[in-house]
Amino acid sequence: MDTPRIRQPGAADADFVVVANRLPVHLDSQGPDGPRWRRSPGGLVSALEPILRARRGAWAGWAGTAAGGTPAGLPDEDVRLHAVPLDETEYREYYEGFSNTTLWPLFHDVVVPPDFDRGWWQSYQRVNQRFARHAAALAAPGATVWVQDYQLMLVPEMLRALRPDVRIGFFLHIPFPPPELFLQLPWRSQIVDGLLGADLIGFQLPGGAQNFLHLVRRLRRAESVGHAARSAVLGTVRVGDREVRVGAFPISVDAAGLEELAGGRTVRERARQIRRQLGEHRRIMLGVDRLDYTKGIDQRLRAFEGLLADGRAAARDTVLVQIATPSRERVEHYRLQRARIEARVGHINGAFGQVGQVPVHYLHTTVDRTELAALYRAADVMLVTPLRDGMNLVAKEFVAARPDLGGALVLSEFAGAAQELTRALLVNPHHLHELQDVMATALTLDPADGRRRMEELRRHLRERDVHHWARSFLTALGGAGHGSLLPDTGDPATRANVA
Ligand code: ADP
Ligand code: F6P
């Protein structure tokens, strides 16, 4: 994004507002030619950006600078971007602290122990209030406001208090834990009340929605919870005279867009070049993740090391490329995880490599969409092995990027995507030997079997792309008798669905 136009804070005139912790871009640096913006990391941005572009909606979020104010030169193209400021203390307490040291591990099966800190909680409340105020100031009368993810779980209730006229949806991108884990949270009732300010609460999987409904039954009166069997809506909760719907809406990717990109000449040539650079005859295993301890990068490296040690793979015939996006770098468990991964990469290359031929290529960086698509196309085996993941869009992107029907997908049972992508090679990443076996199977998969699997995976993805996800959520949010909330994409298929 390099053609910035400055958007002045406007009137409350947006019919469709997304509120997320991050904007789709963040401030990378302030150069002599002005600010440099980069795409923000993570699946939330990848999924919502095409939706907001089609809808020409407004997006309120943090611009990635702790300077406190609204940065000048915020890019403003199809999507109207609106910056919500955070200062350095709030970044530390609300973002690194409560969001990513309390909620993130708690919601991911306590993979590492969460810290509970009252100061962080107070900061989370203050920042959520600010996001609610900004959303209230942007939304036109009767607008739809779609609040995203665990960083903003108090916003629905706060926004309702400020703007009872707007329709509020909330979507959680990460897993919702079983009640026995969630109940560890000292501020559990406030979080549940915050979410219940929405008209519709969406989870990735039916299991997450059921966990939430069980929790509400325990924390509130059981009779306030009702069953529902309306498409994706699995239950309802009565809050005063309002009915809150609760459902499962598995998020997805812009499958057609990715397929087009991956089928283009630039990507195909770059994929061939990558193969040549890594060694024409070598099989390429690929990992692409934010550097997060939930992603199972360390487990995957250990499994690869095992294959090299027992001779099922050798540096001369197999290479593992691991691209790791820098993420939450000052949070202790992230620092430890990075140190562990980098030490293991060094150990594997030291033990099994030779000059000009290392078994692991590790890049601690973000790559652009073209390079990512070329890597997906060059790979023989895609390794997606999280210990727990709400969905995992990398798995879906890989499938979308393989119109050639090549490549095998190794997918953790603990990724939400495994419930849909059942023709992947599913694996329990906690079981090291099983992971090694499945990785070895993927390396020697019969090509005809591989193509059949990929064909079925792609068929599923074509039907269940990100536009289907947004349509089903917004349809459920609109409900009967409230008119359509669907974005007008200009796409006849979308219009047909609206009718
Ligand atoms: P999460 O939201 O936890 O980061 P997902 O797998 O759902 O996990 O989404 C990750 C998104 O970030 C995907 O769209 C993926 O393409 C992108 N991504 C991950 N790593 C990189 C990288 N190194 N460079 C560029 N994009 C990346
Ligand atoms: O869905 C997971 C998620 O935490 C998103 O909310 C977030 O945008 C993304 O991963 C990247 O994380 P962060 O914004 O902390 O860099």
Side-chain angles (χ1 to χ4, degrees), residues 21-22 41-42 44 95 100 104 149-151 173-174 290 327-328:
N21 173 56
R22 272 187 192 280
L44 184 155
Y95 172 75
N100 290 313
W104 180 268
D149 229 356
Y150 62 101
Q151 302 94 341
H173 291 252
I174 67 174
R290 262 186 319 102
S327 185
R328 307 171 192 167

Side-chain angles (χ1 to χ4, degrees), residues 41-44 46 104 288-290 295 323-325 365-368 372 376 389 391-394 397:
L44 184 155
S46 307
W104 180 268
V288 175
D289 314 76
R290 262 186 319 102
K295 300 289 183 185
I323 317 278
T325 318
T365 185
T366 302
V367 295
D368 67 28
L372 190 58
Y376 288 148
D389 209 330
M391 178 52 61
N392 196 290
L393 293 185
V394 167
E397 288 170 0

